[in-house]
């Protein structure tokens, strides 16, 4: 039996922009919210703090879960995810973000982070694409969003 991976992602707004981790590979530039997997014996808030520091050099207060997304790589037509990946992503509201250090441990293909204007989310390669309107309006109508791209 394969394990389900749990990850936490920071939803951090500043004015009319959203904090995103910026990546580059053969698709060009693409973006996700900062965050990543919860390690064994690590609490959700510890993973939140660690991932935010690694990917942005920032600290913030972790708020409530806004929504949950499920990723089943075998059901997607992509070679960019590990085979058989089954992941639950918890997207949490974030307040009081501030950069306190240089990012120290970028993920594979990550080249930095950006404050992306909300009105540009439709024009970039952003995951989860299905949630763009919710991020733009800051309206998350249900907690479990299911398996979405």
């Amino acid at each position: 039996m394969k394990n389900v991976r749990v990850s936490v992602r920071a939803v951090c707004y500043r004015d009319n922009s959203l904090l995103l981790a910026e990546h580059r590979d053969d698709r060009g530039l693409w973006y996700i919210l900062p965050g990543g997997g919860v390690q064994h014996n690590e609490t959700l808030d510890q993973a939140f703090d660690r991932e935010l520091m690694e990917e942005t050099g920032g600290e913030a207060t972790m708020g409530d879960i806004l929504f949950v997304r499920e990723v089943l790589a075998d059901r997607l037509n992509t070679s960019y995810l590990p085979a058989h990946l089954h992941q639950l992503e918890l997207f949490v509201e974030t307040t009081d973000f501030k950069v306190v250090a240089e990012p120290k441990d970028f993920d594979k293909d990550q080249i930095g982070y950006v404050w992306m204007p909300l009105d540009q989310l439709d024009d970039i390669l952003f995951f989860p694409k299905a949630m763009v309107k919710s991020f733009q309006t800051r309206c998350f109508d249900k907690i479990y969003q299911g398996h979405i791209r």
Side-chain angles (χ1 to χ4, degrees):
M1 181 172 119
K2 300 282 182 187
N3 292 327
V4 176
R5 181 175 191 252
V6 176
S7 73
V8 60
R9 299 213 170 271
V11 179
C12 184
Y13 291 100
R14 183 177 74 188
D15 301 321
N16 283 322
S17 296
L18 186 62
L19 180 65
L20 300 179
E22 184 175 47
H23 297 257
R24 181 188 312 260
D25 62 17
D26 61 342
R27 297 172 287 185
L29 292 174
W30 56 276
Y31 302 86
I32 58 175
L33 282 96
V38 178
Q39 297 175 355
H40 177 73
N41 222 17
E42 182 178 51
T43 65
L44 195 60
D45 59 331
Q46 288 171 331
F48 172 87
D49 291 342
R50 177 183 50 76
E51 287 287 346
L52 203 55
M53 179 60 69
E54 288 174 0
E55 296 181 7
T56 70
E59 294 177 344
T61 301
M62 183 179 127
D64 291 334
I65 294 173
L66 296 172
F67 69 94
V68 176
R69 169 176 97 134
E70 193 162 13
V71 178
L72 295 155
D74 294 348
R75 295 186 186 181
L76 295 171
N77 185 18
T78 182
S79 60
Y80 293 102
L81 293 172
H84 314 301
L85 173 73
H86 185 182
Q87 179 167 277
L88 292 177
E89 294 183 322
L90 310 175
F91 290 76
V92 298
E93 58 184 345
T94 304
T95 58
D96 305 322
F97 176 83
K98 64 180 178 231
V99 174
V100 296
E102 285 294 314
K104 62 178 185 173
D105 193 16
F106 282 163
D107 285 342
K108 179 183 179 299
D109 299 324
Q110 185 182 355
I111 60 172
Y113 66 92
V114 297
W115 287 98
M116 184 65 64
L118 295 174
D119 62 0
Q120 292 181 23
L121 290 179
D122 285 315
D123 302 325
I124 62 173
L125 185 54
F126 170 75
F127 301 102
K129 191 71 163 173
M131 295 301 294
V132 165
K133 292 296 179 222
S134 293
F135 285 118
Q136 289 173 327
T137 61
R138 303 179 194 206
C139 179
F140 304 95
D141 60 346
K142 60 184 181 177
I143 292 177
Y144 178 63
Q145 295 291 334
H147 172 68
I148 59 173
R149 185 123 168 93

